[in-house]
Amino acid sequence: MDLSQQYIDKLFSSKLGNHAVEPPGHIWSNIVRKRKMAALRRKLLIGLLIALLLALMIWLLLPTRGDFPTIAAGDAAPDPTPTQTYGVPADAEDRDREIWSQSESGYEDESITGSPETTMSGEWHSDTRSDRMGENFESTATTNEMPIGSERTSSSASETSHTSGPDITGQSPDGSSSGDYFETGEDMLPGLSDDLALEESILSKPVESEADFASEGMEVEAAFVRKAAMELLGVERWRETMGQRLSEEKHSALNFNHCAIRNNPNCFEPVIPLRYFALDVMAGPDFFSKTLDPSSSEFREWVDARKETESYAISYGATARISAILQNGFALRTGVSVNQINEKFRFVDPDEERRRVVNVLIDTIINAPMDTTFVFDTLSVIETGERVRTVYNRYQMIDIPVVFGYEFNSGNWTFAPSAGFMFNIAFARRGEIISASGRPMTFEDEETGRNIFRAKLGMSVTGSFGVGYRLDSRYSIMVEPRFIYRVNPITVSEHPVSQNYFTYGVQAGLRYRFR
Amino acid sequence: MVSHNCNNPVDLTDREIIEGCLKSDRECEQLLYERFAPKMFALCLRYARNRMEAEDIMQNGFIRVYNKLHTFKHKGSFEGWIRRIMVHSAIKFLKKSSNKNEFSTLEDVKEKKVESKAVENISEAELLELINSMPDGYKVVFNLYVIEGYKHSEIADMLEIQESTSRSQLLKARKFLQDALKNLQLILI
């Protein structure tokens, strides 16, 4: 027959058209594994998108610094020690007072511009307005409440002092027109005069709402911030702290920096996005949901036997991590997580044979009265009975978590949802399972002798929701329910039964907050 | 509604298996694989350069089958539908892994007539080896035209080549196999 083109086509198509070759067994398990990973990736992506959307919504709904309460002209002056602290810790006021009281002039050795060369002498010069203020001061000089000016007056005759400010409604003590409650003399502290003039012109307007200032830009915003500071600190304290650094807590709480207060274009202070670092140490019990997947139906009986012989034993996890909490509330956490999954392997062998050697008296020889010889022999006896073998399997994992979260406070309470990944760096395991032939086996494969578990577990997905209660400025107690999902099975791909865990539990511990 | 009792695999039709797979029944998914895997693996062996590549092509192909199962409209053979997916998976894999363009321009090919009787006794495994001994370009076009039954226009679209290139590659493949069979015949005789 000619090897023509048609013949060749017919030869190959007839013989190979329906040709079949049995594929290797591991292809199906690989297909199952890849599909599971793809499904998990889709779920993770959706979860991350939802988390991002939630975070964005929370961010948008959080109160901004424009939400400070406003005071319209004609309203009564606020209490100098306002009850609404905008989240400032209770000891912040005391710390500010301490800072002030430690300085002779009432000011730290720090210029408005931040340059160490320029210091404030505390010298004040009077003008017509300060005279009026002086009158007001003298009437209150006998009180123990310390407007800063009283000390300076005693130290230098040339000094006059600033007194407690006028009514915040804008009425100066002598009842002059609203807005005239800041001194604008030429000899004011460097840089202040322009600021005050601006502030006066802006704040002379009735403060109806934040919207009044919406179109005025940054300068107005700075004035608004200063006004908010005044409401927070009281006018007396505001005057005392001008040129003085606010306590760190107030900066955090009010979420602005010195330069916004001073409105001095020469003042530069970068906004630090980091709020604080914290060390979290926690531990707690864990539970798990175990999956055993056979690669084909012929191993189903083996899986059933394993499920009958393996059961939960108390497991636990411990975490030590560093959290970086940003000003906007977002958090980044990393550290070390140690987890141990414990299982009880109980195997009952109903036909266990035990060999026992016994002494048997086979003869008694009486040689004489009181002289008897007993003849013994040993006999090996095989006893058949039920043997129960109990082994505690241990799976110890050390992972590095990289977790993103968000923290928001309500009084002394902190709420912290988090999600992220864990990267396994060590996996130790020991114990026994039932083999395919129905006998106990160690974790080495009967045929190949290789360990049926992986040496490293790769990546896991973790999530948690922490609740903390602040004990003091440094310490908080934390309780955190969490879960861990191992992306890859802990068994090697060649093993016909794929084993994996979904771990969940609650950890409790302490947080130490660094300054 | 057609029930899908995957506990009796022999009785299940393709439609029942598909319905079970669409409901994420693991038994039905495995049954689908077991029913069609041998033929698909043979198909992958024809396209791949070696057995490992054939395994990768088959894994990717079946994953695509499960992902696109909902698009099968029950028009035509289900096996033919799976074959088309597997062929596309093979071509995609080869494109990804090929280092050079093996397609060339049209040349004159003279046909030789060679006597042979023993060729008919060649086994499928030997024919498979002959196919795998060809360059990738010849092999793919030969498989698509002769065994899968695609037209040159369809092959040109799939491989993003000219139709004339497809024809020339087929001629070269046949010439290659003709020579190989002649040599084999000499050995057999």
Side-chain angles (χ1 to χ4, degrees):
Chain A
M1 180 172 294
D2 295 339
L3 284 178
S4 63
Q5 292 183 11
Q6 289 79 9
Y7 177 78
I8 289 176
D9 289 357
K10 190 178 173 187
L11 174 69
F12 277 87
S13 63
S14 62
K15 290 216 172 187
L16 294 182
N18 284 318
H19 181 47
V21 176
E22 197 63 35
H26 62 266
I27 291 185
W28 172 244
S29 58
N30 287 347
I31 290 171
V32 170
R33 184 172 53 85
K34 284 188 177 181
R35 291 187 70 208
K36 274 187 184 173
M37 286 183 65
L40 181 63
R41 273 196 293 269
R42 278 194 299 271
K43 287 178 188 172
L44 278 176
L45 190 59
I46 293 171
L48 275 172
L49 284 173
I50 293 174
L52 279 172
L53 275 173
L54 280 174
L56 185 63
M57 281 172 60
I58 291 172
W59 168 258
L60 290 173
L61 291 174
L62 270 179
T64 65
R65 46 184 180 148
D67 292 347
F68 288 107
T70 60
I71 298 177
D75 287 352
D79 188 337
T81 55
T83 56
Q84 186 177 3
T85 60
Y86 303 104
V88 175
D91 61 343
E93 297 280 345
D94 294 332
R95 291 182 70 239
D96 282 341
R97 192 174 293 114
E98 184 181 349
I99 292 170
W100 161 74
S101 64
Q102 284 172 357
S103 171
E104 291 184 357
S105 63
Y107 292 88
E108 289 180 359
D109 287 334
E110 186 175 292
S111 70
I112 295 173
T113 60
S115 166
E117 289 80 19
T118 308
T119 59
M120 291 173 285
S121 63
E123 291 187 342
W124 298 86
H125 299 275
S126 63
D127 60 8
T128 54
R129 291 182 184 177
S130 66
D131 287 340
R132 290 198 295 272
M133 305 302 269
E135 287 177 5
N136 194 37
F137 169 69
E138 286 172 3
S139 67
T140 60
T142 58
T143 66
N144 290 327
E145 283 297 315
M146 185 52 67
I148 184 173
S150 63
E151 283 189 349
R152 290 195 295 276
T153 304
S154 64
S155 63
S156 167
S158 64
E159 287 177 351
T160 57
S161 64
H162 295 282
T163 69
S164 57
D167 191 331
I168 196 170
T169 57
Q171 296 294 325
S172 63
D174 64 349
S176 59
S177 61
S178 63
D180 292 343
Y181 49 80
F182 284 108
E183 299 180 9
T184 55
E186 293 178 355
D187 297 320
M188 292 299 296
L189 293 173
L192 271 178
S193 56
D194 292 338
D195 299 349
L196 291 172
L198 172 64
E199 193 172 334
E200 181 183 340
S201 66
I202 293 169
L203 293 178
S204 61
K205 300 176 189 176
V207 180
E208 296 291 343
S209 68
E210 180 187 353
D212 288 350
F213 302 103
S215 61
E216 298 290 332
M218 188 63 192
E219 296 169 347
V220 174
E221 187 179 358
F224 194 77
V225 165
R226 287 194 293 276
K227 180 180 168 306
M230 283 193 288
E231 292 164 4
L232 178 66
L233 300 172
V235 175
E236 298 92 339
R237 299 298 305 279
W238 162 249
R239 287 161 98 39
E240 291 163 6
T241 56
M242 275 169 58
Q244 179 178 3
R245 188 175 292 275
L246 283 179
S247 65
E248 186 179 332
E249 287 86 355
K250 283 197 175 59
H251 269 293
S252 303
L254 296 172
N255 196 27
F256 58 81
N257 61 10
H258 311 148
C259 297
I261 300 173
R262 297 168 184 166
N263 198 25
N264 186 328
N266 294 323
C267 177
F268 172 74
E269 184 172 279
V271 176
I272 301 172
L274 178 68
R275 195 190 296 175
Y276 63 88
F277 279 108
L279 171 66
D280 302 329
V281 178
M282 296 181 292
D286 277 339
F287 304 90
F288 57 83
S289 169
K290 183 164 95 172
T291 54
L292 289 170
D293 279 330
S295 61
S296 67
S297 55
E298 67 178 282
F299 300 109
R300 196 163 297 283
E301 281 187 22
W302 186 9
V303 167
D304 293 338
R306 284 199 58 185
K307 287 180 180 176
E308 285 175 11
T309 54
E310 296 168 28
S311 60
Y312 171 82
I314 294 177
S315 305
Y316 65 85
T319 303
R321 68 186 186 201
I322 294 287
S323 298
I325 291 85
L326 307 182
Q327 293 286 358
N328 54 18
F330 285 102
L332 174 63
R333 316 185 201 284
T334 187
V336 176
S337 176
V338 177
N339 303 285
Q340 179 161 315
I341 293 175
N342 293 324
E343 287 183 334
K344 181 178 169 183
F345 170 65
R346 187 171 182 272
F347 174 76
V348 178
D349 185 355
D351 299 320
E352 177 78 6
E353 286 182 350
R354 183 171 61 183
R355 188 178 294 275
R356 195 159 60 90
V357 175
V358 298
N359 290 327
V360 179
L361 177 65
I362 59 171
D363 198 5
T364 302
I365 302 172
I366 301 175
N367 301 313
M370 305 300 287
D371 180 15
T372 304
T373 302
F374 299 97
V375 180
F376 291 91
D377 195 1
T378 58
L379 183 64
S380 179
V381 177
I382 297 176
E383 297 174 325
T384 303
E386 188 178 89
R387 182 185 174 91
V388 178
R389 183 178 177 81
T390 302
V391 175
Y392 285 90
N393 296 344
R394 287 184 171 77
Y395 305 93
Q396 296 170 321
M397 301 102 164
I398 299 178
D399 303 277
I400 304 291
V402 177
V403 174
F404 300 93
Y406 187 82
E407 292 197 358
F408 54 98
N409 303 313
S410 176
N412 284 335
W413 293 92
T414 301
F415 302 94
S418 303
F421 304 97
M422 296 174 73
F423 301 95
N424 180 255
I425 59 173
F427 177 44
R429 58 278 184 219
R430 65 185 178 91
E432 290 184 4
I433 58 173
I434 193 167
S435 66
S437 56
R439 303 295 303 172
M441 60 174 265
T442 61
F443 289 162
E444 279 77 36
D445 187 271
E446 288 181 317
E447 291 180 4
T448 64
R450 294 175 57 191
N451 201 300
I452 65 173
F453 294 106
R454 296 171 184 269
K456 294 273 189 329
L457 301 181
M459 190 180 75
S460 306
V461 175
T462 183
S464 63
F465 191 93
V467 178
Y469 183 80
R470 191 163 182 177
L471 300 173
D472 56 30
S473 62
R474 298 267 187 179
Y475 293 95
S476 301
I477 53 173
M478 302 279 295
V479 175
E480 188 171 278
R482 63 159 193 172
F483 73 87
I484 300 172
Y485 177 73
R486 304 276 166 192
V487 174
N488 293 314
I490 66 172
T491 44
V492 295
S493 57
E494 294 81 34
H495 191 63
V497 177
S498 169
Q499 180 174 340
N500 204 354
Y501 293 93
F502 177 82
T503 311
Y504 52 96
V506 178
Q507 294 194 332
L510 272 182
R511 162 173 283 189
Y512 176 79
R513 177 173 162 167
F514 296 100
R515 292 290 178 204
Chain B
M1 188 176 89
V2 180
S3 64
H4 53 279
N5 181 6
C6 287
N7 292 326
N8 298 318
V10 178
D11 302 328
L12 288 178
T13 62
D14 288 348
R15 181 184 280 265
E16 289 169 339
I17 291 177
I18 292 168
E19 287 182 2
C21 291
L22 290 174
K23 292 179 182 169
S24 302
D25 187 321
R26 285 286 301 276
E27 298 277 355
C28 286
E29 288 176 347
Q30 186 170 354
L31 185 59
L32 185 150
Y33 170 81
E34 289 171 354
R35 184 172 285 192
F36 295 103
K39 286 186 179 177
M40 297 307 125
F41 190 55
L43 182 153
C44 295
L45 283 170
R46 283 192 277 113
Y47 286 89
R49 298 182 191 99
N50 50 57
R51 198 175 178 87
M52 276 181 61
E53 279 193 3
E55 292 176 7
D56 288 339
I57 291 171
M58 187 149 120
Q59 283 174 25
N60 296 340
F62 265 101
I63 289 173
R64 291 190 72 193
V65 165
Y66 290 117
N67 289 343
K68 292 186 178 300
L69 200 57
H70 62 282
T71 65
F72 180 62
K73 305 296 181 192
H74 298 281
K75 291 179 183 176
S77 157
F78 182 50
E79 181 179 326
W81 184 80
I82 295 180
R83 273 185 183 273
R84 281 195 291 277
I85 291 180
M86 210 58 68
V87 165
H88 280 279
S89 176
I91 291 171
K92 190 176 173 183
F93 184 91
L94 289 173
K95 277 184 182 175
K96 224 174 162 183
S97 60
S98 70
N99 294 325
K100 55 183 179 179
N101 184 3
E102 298 185 45
F103 299 114
S104 56
T105 56
L106 187 63
E107 293 177 12
D108 285 338
V109 177
K110 290 185 179 177
E111 205 171 299
K112 291 181 181 177
K113 291 185 180 178
V114 181
E115 290 281 343
S116 170
K117 285 186 181 176
V119 170
E120 292 173 356
N121 298 327
I122 293 178
S123 67
E124 288 87 351
E126 286 168 325
L127 290 177
L128 207 57
E129 279 183 29
L130 286 177
I131 286 184
N132 282 330
S133 65
M134 285 195 288
D136 286 350
Y138 300 178
K139 177 168 64 179
V140 171
V141 173
F142 183 83
N143 276 320
L144 289 172
Y145 185 87
V146 172
I147 302 178
E148 318 301 345
Y150 286 97
K151 300 174 188 173
H152 282 296
S153 56
E154 293 171 328
I155 294 172
D157 285 338
M158 286 165 64
L159 300 180
E160 296 174 355
I161 57 175
Q162 299 288 331
E163 201 172 314
S164 58
T165 306
S166 174
R167 293 178 193 279
S168 74
Q169 292 295 105
L170 180 64
L171 284 174
K172 290 180 184 176
R174 284 170 175 161
K175 174 78 170 54
F176 183 98
L177 289 172
Q178 199 178 46
D179 292 341
L181 283 170
K182 187 179 73 173
N183 293 335
L184 195 62
Q185 175 204 346
L186 292 174
I187 293 169
L188 288 173
I189 294 175

